[in-house]
Amino acid sequence: MVRLITHNLLACHAKGCTSNNFPLQLKDVQLEQREAEFNPDFLRRFMPKLDWGALVDTARQLGDDSLPLEQPEMFDDDFLRKLHHVLLEVSVEEGAMVCPNCSHIYPISNGIPNMLLAENEIG
Amino acid sequence: MPQTRYLIIFAQAHYDFRIPELLSVAELHGFSIGLPDQPEPTRPYMVVQLEHQDHAILLASRCILIKSVCEFYAQGSSYDELHAAVRSNKQEWIQHQADASFKFTVTGFKCSLPAQKQREIIESFSYMALAGKIDLKTPDIILSVFEEYDSRVANVEGKHEQPNRFKQVYFGRLLVEGTARSLAAKFDVKKRVYYGNTSMEAEISLLMANQTLASSGKLVYDPFMGTGSMAYTVAHFGAQMFGSDIDGRQMRGKEKQAGVFRAAAQYGVAARVVDLCTFDVTHNPWRCGDLFDAIVTDPPYGVRAGAKRLGRKKPPTEKHIASLSSQRVGALRPGDSAPYIPPTKPYELSNLASDLVLLARYLLRPGGRLVFFLPTVNEDYQAVDIRTMLCEGMEVVANSLQDFGSWGRRLITLRKTTNQSYDPPTFEAPSEDVDELDGETAHVPAHKDFREKYFQGFKPAAE
């Protein structure tokens, strides 16, 4: 269950891949709705760490356009609930994440992404 | 602020963890706690000062090692001393004199007191002239006497006839029973739907969770997740949990739904396990730092499971590397019988510990905590061992020993004291000879090469 919050924090880390290595492109994904605890404090505290553009783009690719393109300055309850849904309840059960730069494929199986690198990819 | 004294009655376990736990829970709730000038954490009773009764109740509801908390009235090394102190502290208990129904309890630590003796002790308090009814079932107040014996004294014959042989006697009113202790049964590993042979015992997992200051709205990370023992207790206290491990099989188990998710569901905290990821922490995919409120982990130290990182013991040749170019993790190539799994090499414990501290400085928010176990050879341990792995911006909050005889493990709690952002660590092992820079042989940390020392039975290396 790669939730989009996790997707927003993971970058390709293969040897030499240091630019254009985020966000990873989701491919052949099987989505699932997962339960998560709505916690406005958690969301507010986490917001500064988000790459907002990457989150909105990824959500739209998955067919969810509930979030505005620009991160709002005021967070009302309605916005926080939408953010909660996109960030924590949309999750990828099967599929892969592909680096836009080096094309490394990180497979996702039973909701757990495999971010290990091959021997020739480590520094 | 006026301070009131409270008597803490500790559970008989993990005494080195008692004070760190009190201080952590006080910090979590934002109140201060006045400890004795020279605290003796091995003793079962401790008198502390708090600003407010609610603080005592908060401690009892969260500290795993608190059995109960009393409003403190008096103590003494004899009953004469105790009674004199009770008389002079009348303002503390006078409010209960008029009409509260009451009950007395008398408890001996390392000594059981016969009923007849208990009755005599209770009757010796008659000068308090309590006017309320005695009610053994539902009293308004419970007044408690605690006699503390040293184990040495308790072994002396006829101790019941020599009531002054105790070390100290305490008197107070029961305020609250500790409620967090029962969590150790709830998180009992044997009753968990998923666990492994390296799962952390429940009581220690709870103590670790308290050291992280876990609470609602926080994000906590375990980089050596294994079967997820600390995730359940951290999430129980309200925090969101993230886990990773180089070996996904530990987190998954054999069923389709990963074992960690199943156990989290058993405890009703599945909604707080954010995600699990398979990766080597020395080659990690974190996009940025300053992410987590705490990092909590029990690094594999080589007895039942050795720590591993990606790579080979002997560096591969250029030619060999060139031949690897088409390999991809988890993928089948023509002619392969099983998906490719990258090779791993051992991760020596003192390197792992230093790397973990650097990683924590990168990944923690300012003020965040790193809580982890470090196994160590007790005879070789020196306080400097902990400093050898510290770096600028990280300071020690607590260091508690769980003693297994010739070895032990230390629960280390560090705090990130800096607001500065640091680069991610490089995870390059230091060269072997840095220890002898000054021509003198530096002290080798007692956790270095722990696995080898363990299997050698902790004998000094042969000359």
Side-chain angles (χ1 to χ4, degrees):
Chain A
M1 53 174 198
V2 181
R3 307 187 203 248
L4 293 193
I5 185 174
T6 307
H7 175 264
N8 203 268
L9 295 175
L10 300 177
C12 181
H13 56 119
K15 182 169 67 173
C17 189
T18 52
S19 61
N20 189 32
N21 58 346
F22 173 85
L24 300 170
Q25 307 292 313
L26 290 169
K27 234 182 99 182
D28 304 328
V29 294
Q30 204 176 304
L31 293 181
E32 206 164 290
Q33 286 280 335
R34 300 209 69 110
E35 186 206 352
E37 192 174 62
F38 178 61
N39 188 327
D41 289 341
F42 176 77
L43 294 171
R44 279 196 197 92
R45 291 188 70 211
F46 200 76
M47 204 99 64
K49 283 289 151 194
L50 282 176
D51 185 314
W52 187 258
L55 179 69
V56 173
D57 279 357
T58 308
R60 294 193 174 197
Q61 280 164 31
L62 299 178
D64 187 314
D65 55 4
S66 59
L67 293 180
L69 280 171
E70 294 290 322
Q71 186 170 347
E73 284 177 14
M74 299 292 284
F75 313 138
D76 59 15
D77 192 64
D78 180 55
F79 166 75
L80 287 174
R81 286 198 180 268
K82 282 176 181 159
L83 177 64
H84 166 75
H85 174 72
V86 171
L87 208 53
L88 291 157
E89 293 187 323
V90 178
S91 85
V92 180
E93 199 60 20
E94 300 287 333
M97 295 185 283
V98 183
C99 174
N101 182 43
C102 74
S103 305
H104 181 108
I105 301 169
Y106 297 98
I108 300 168
S109 141
N110 293 326
I112 300 182
N114 187 341
M115 308 299 290
L116 286 172
L117 297 174
E119 199 174 358
N120 53 304
E121 295 170 317
I122 60 176
Chain B
M1 270 291 186
Q3 300 272 320
T4 311
R5 285 181 295 176
Y6 294 88
L7 175 66
I8 294 178
I9 295 94
F10 287 113
Q12 285 318 300
H14 309 304
Y15 62 81
D16 217 20
F17 294 66
R18 289 170 173 170
I19 290 177
E21 187 185 42
L22 291 178
L23 294 174
S24 289
V25 173
E27 182 176 333
L28 171 66
H29 291 291
F31 61 82
S32 63
I33 176 166
L35 295 175
D37 289 338
Q38 286 174 318
E40 295 176 83
T42 55
R43 294 176 63 176
Y45 309 110
M46 184 180 286
V47 179
V48 302
Q49 303 204 31
L50 299 168
E51 278 169 22
H52 202 281
Q53 180 173 302
D54 292 348
H55 298 166
I57 293 167
L58 285 169
L59 288 174
S61 68
R62 183 70 190 256
C63 290
I64 309 304
L65 297 178
I66 288 186
K67 216 154 117 187
S68 58
V69 181
C70 288
E71 209 172 70
F72 174 82
Y73 292 158
Q75 70 184 87
S77 54
S78 68
Y79 273 102
D80 289 345
E81 243 181 79
L82 181 78
H83 288 310
V86 174
R87 284 192 168 96
S88 68
N89 278 354
K90 200 169 183 176
Q91 75 284 357
E92 306 267 356
W93 50 267
I94 190 76
Q95 51 177 318
H96 304 301
Q97 196 179 34
D99 52 8
S101 66
F102 68 93
K103 165 181 149 176
F104 260 88
T105 65
V106 182
T107 314
F109 174 75
K110 289 198 170 159
C111 169
S112 67
L113 299 160
Q116 170 64 29
K117 178 76 201 157
Q118 292 190 25
R119 210 156 36 239
E120 284 169 33
I121 293 169
I122 292 169
E123 280 162 9
S124 72
F125 286 88
S126 57
Y127 59 86
M128 287 175 78
L130 298 175
K133 280 192 312 218
I134 294 174
D135 182 343
L136 297 183
K137 288 204 176 115
T138 53
D140 294 331
I141 61 168
I142 298 175
L143 297 166
S144 297
V145 180
F146 303 93
E147 291 185 4
E148 178 193 3
Y149 292 80
D150 262 340
S151 51
R152 275 177 296 112
V153 177
N155 290 335
V156 174
E157 275 186 1
K159 61 197 171 191
H160 301 319
E161 284 74 48
Q162 297 173 315
N164 289 336
R165 297 294 295 271
F166 51 70
K167 189 170 181 174
Q168 194 74 203
V169 58
Y170 302 86
F171 180 57
R173 178 181 71 86
L174 178 68
L175 181 64
V176 59
E177 300 274 3
T179 50
R181 273 203 75 61
S182 63
L183 292 173
K186 173 176 175 175
F187 288 97
D188 186 359
V189 174
K190 285 188 226 121
K191 289 185 250 159
R192 194 172 295 163
V193 296
Y194 179 70
Y195 61 92
N197 63 356
T198 56
S199 293
M200 178 64 66
E201 64 207 82
E203 191 171 5
I204 300 279
S205 302
L206 288 157
L207 290 172
M208 292 173 84
N210 273 348
Q211 287 304 101
T212 69
L213 311 181
S215 64
S216 175
K218 289 185 179 169
L219 186 60
V220 180
Y221 171 43
D222 183 346
F224 300 95
M225 184 76 162
T227 56
S229 304
M230 283 77 77
Y232 315 122
T233 54
V234 164
H236 171 82
F237 291 125
Q240 313 272 337
M241 191 71 202
F242 200 102
S244 73
D245 202 297
I246 190 171
D247 186 353
R249 293 172 300 182
Q250 287 282 318
M251 300 185 289
R252 287 175 195 277
K254 288 187 177 140
E255 291 175 36
K256 185 176 179 344
Q257 193 192 9
V260 169
F261 292 140
R262 286 189 287 124
Q266 175 189 1
Y267 297 124
V269 297
R272 295 194 194 127
V273 177
V274 177
D275 260 320
L276 308 175
C277 254
T278 305
F279 59 78
D280 171 7
V281 77
T282 71
H283 293 94
N284 69 70
W286 295 116
R287 171 174 66 79
C288 58
D290 296 345
L291 283 175
F292 301 108
D293 296 286
I295 293 177
V296 61
T297 197
D298 178 30
Y301 45 80
V303 178
R304 279 177 289 192
K308 297 277 194 238
R309 55 185 295 187
L310 291 179
R312 284 179 196 268
K313 270 188 176 173
K314 284 186 184 161
T317 61
E318 290 293 321
K319 197 175 149 199
H320 179 67
I321 289 178
S323 74
L324 299 171
S325 58
S326 66
Q327 274 172 343
R328 193 154 71 64
V329 170
L332 276 170
R333 293 181 304 173
D336 284 351
S337 58
Y340 168 71
I341 296 169
T344 57
K345 61 183 180 184
Y347 196 0
E348 193 277 316
L349 186 65
S350 64
N351 292 337
L352 183 155
S354 312
D355 286 349
L356 182 60
V357 176
L358 289 169
L359 179 73
R361 182 176 65 172
Y362 170 62
L363 287 178
L364 286 175
R365 294 170 184 258
R369 285 181 167 203
L370 168 63
V371 178
F372 70 107
F373 263 114
L374 188 71
T376 173
V377 185
N378 287 342
E379 199 172 298
D380 298 345
Y381 174 78
Q382 292 183 13
V384 69
D385 286 8
I386 307 302
R387 266 181 281 140
T388 61
M389 63 193 192
L390 287 184
C391 57
E392 190 188 72
M394 296 290 286
E395 76 173 23
V396 178
V397 173
N399 173 358
S400 306
L401 174 68
Q402 188 183 12
D403 196 339
F404 299 123
S406 57
W407 70 287
R409 53 181 183 183
R410 288 180 176 274
L411 185 64
I412 311 290
T413 305
L414 306 180
R415 182 193 288 118
K416 177 172 171 178
T417 55
T418 174
N419 290 323
Q420 206 180 319
S421 288
Y422 283 86
D423 287 336
T426 59
F427 298 102
E428 279 161 15
S431 62
E432 282 293 328
D433 48 28
V434 286
D435 283 342
E436 294 177 53
L437 274 181
D438 303 332
E440 285 173 49
T441 311
H443 171 68
V444 178
H447 55 273
K448 189 164 194 296
D449 297 319
F450 180 79
R451 181 184 166 84
E452 285 68 27
K453 290 173 184 165
Y454 182 90
F455 286 112
Q456 285 161 10
F458 304 112
K459 293 188 193 80
E463 291 295 310

